[in-house]
Amino acid sequence: MLPPGSTIGILGGGQLGRMMAMAALQLGYRVIGYAPEGDNVAADACSAFLTAEWDDADALARFAAACDVVTWEFENVPVAAVEALPSRLLACPKAALEVAQDRLAEKRFALAHGGTPAPFAPVGSEAEFPEAVARIGTPGILKTAREGYDGKGQWRVGSALEASGIRFPGVPCIYEGFITYETEFSVILVRCKDGQTRFWDSTANLHEGGMLARSILPAGALVEAQVPAARDLAARVAEALGYVGVLTLEFFATRDGPVFNEMAPRVHNSGHWTIEGAATSQFENHIRAICGLPLGGTKTRFEAIEMRNIVGEEALAAHAMLAEPGEPHLHLYGKAEAREGRKMGHVTRVGHALP
Ligand code: AMP
């Protein structure tokens, strides 16, 4: 067990790091953040924050010297930056990042562990695109293999003709068949070094424009029926990676069962409801797992829960939401600019406490 007063290093400076740092402070730890220049809203909640590029060897060495354990809040931290840190500091093996950074690698990994992803084909260059569309069929989605998030770096393809009109992004891509689904859901687990694993209830996740808009509990009968198989896959993936901390897998609930979409080796937007809605939040259990503390319970505390993201300028009037019915719990991330499509905060409403 990492003693109180020890220092947790967090790679990445966004809202996930901010909420992780708040949980760490509550447990008596110090937190040092590390991220390149940007709107690093995690810094507000950190004891110290190092603003440096991912390839700044001196800064990474200073960061490492100050930390007792290191985690990340962002899956696109370059693997080289993680490799520059002494491996004894890493709470979780870097393999989790390597797999999750590449859509092809994560789909192959899920397949290898018994999961069912959407039909897919690698598209290494523009020349391979028509062949991939012919093989997988339409409709489909072309996605950059790396770096895309919240629907960015994605192009819907309605027909082969439409595919010929898409300006190929010039980086390796993946082409996926379009899945017809009833709803999306996520499995969020926390795993300790000794393999002990706990799951939170799975929310139904509603996306708008490729970005999560709302997460809802109860998730409905179809999701509930598919959760056991989805959890089995998530547990096998976590075990294969030697995973420590919170891991998220996202699924489409289809009539034929759960289709794996992607994984995030970190706390997840669809788990923000756990702050008020579960016995222990995803942030706290992540910190507990990486520090070797006993895990907290993951039981849902209310009959109904809704987490809604606050996006762009909506944040400017967010305090007024506190007067609305349904016990809204407001979380604003302190971002400087309320740009369109930017996650600025979230609000969680709960109904009827469970006994
Ligand atoms: P992703 O970045 O892969 O999570 O994609 C963002 C969102 O786009 C997903 O949450 C879905 O709403 C939608 N989407 C992505 N891939 C597919 C697919 N193969 N079929 C249908 N919808 C998809």
Side-chain angles (χ1 to χ4, degrees), residues 35-105:
E37 189 106 28
D39 196 359
N40 290 318
V41 294
D44 296 342
C46 290
S47 322
F49 198 90
L50 250 159
T51 306
E53 293 303 318
W54 293 122
D55 61 358
D56 184 335
D58 285 349
L60 285 167
R62 272 186 285 134
F63 175 71
C67 294
D68 296 299
V69 65
V70 172
T71 187
W72 50 73
E73 60 98 54
F74 170 59
E75 69 271 35
N76 288 323
V77 174
V79 173
V82 173
E83 283 169 342
L85 303 171
S87 58
R88 67 177 164 79
L89 289 182
L90 296 182
C92 182
K94 65 174 183 174
L97 280 183
E98 286 166 335
V99 172
Q101 284 181 358
D102 185 326
R103 289 184 187 279
L104 273 167

Side-chain angles (χ1 to χ4, degrees), residues 103 141 143 154 176-179 181 184 207 261-262:
R103 289 184 187 279
I141 306 186
K143 299 179 180 178
Q154 301 192 3
E176 292 178 23
F178 194 85
I179 300 293
Y181 53 83
E184 295 182 60
H207 289 76
N261 180 29
E262 61 178 355

Side-chain angles (χ1 to χ4, degrees), residues 103 106-107 118-119 140-141 143 148-152 154 156 176-181 184 207-212 250 252 259 261-262:
R103 289 184 187 279
E106 72 184 350
K107 286 203 164 55
I141 306 186
K143 299 179 180 178
Y149 68 97
D150 286 348
K152 296 181 179 74
Q154 301 192 3
R156 298 268 169 115
E176 292 178 23
F178 194 85
I179 300 293
T180 306
Y181 53 83
E184 295 182 60
H207 289 76
E208 281 169 20
M211 189 168 111
L212 182 67
E250 293 182 79
F252 302 118
V259 171
N261 180 29
E262 61 178 355

Side-chain angles (χ1 to χ4, degrees), residues 311-326:
V311 179
E313 289 197 345
E314 204 191 343
L316 304 177
H319 283 153
M321 286 177 192
L322 294 172
E324 291 172 8

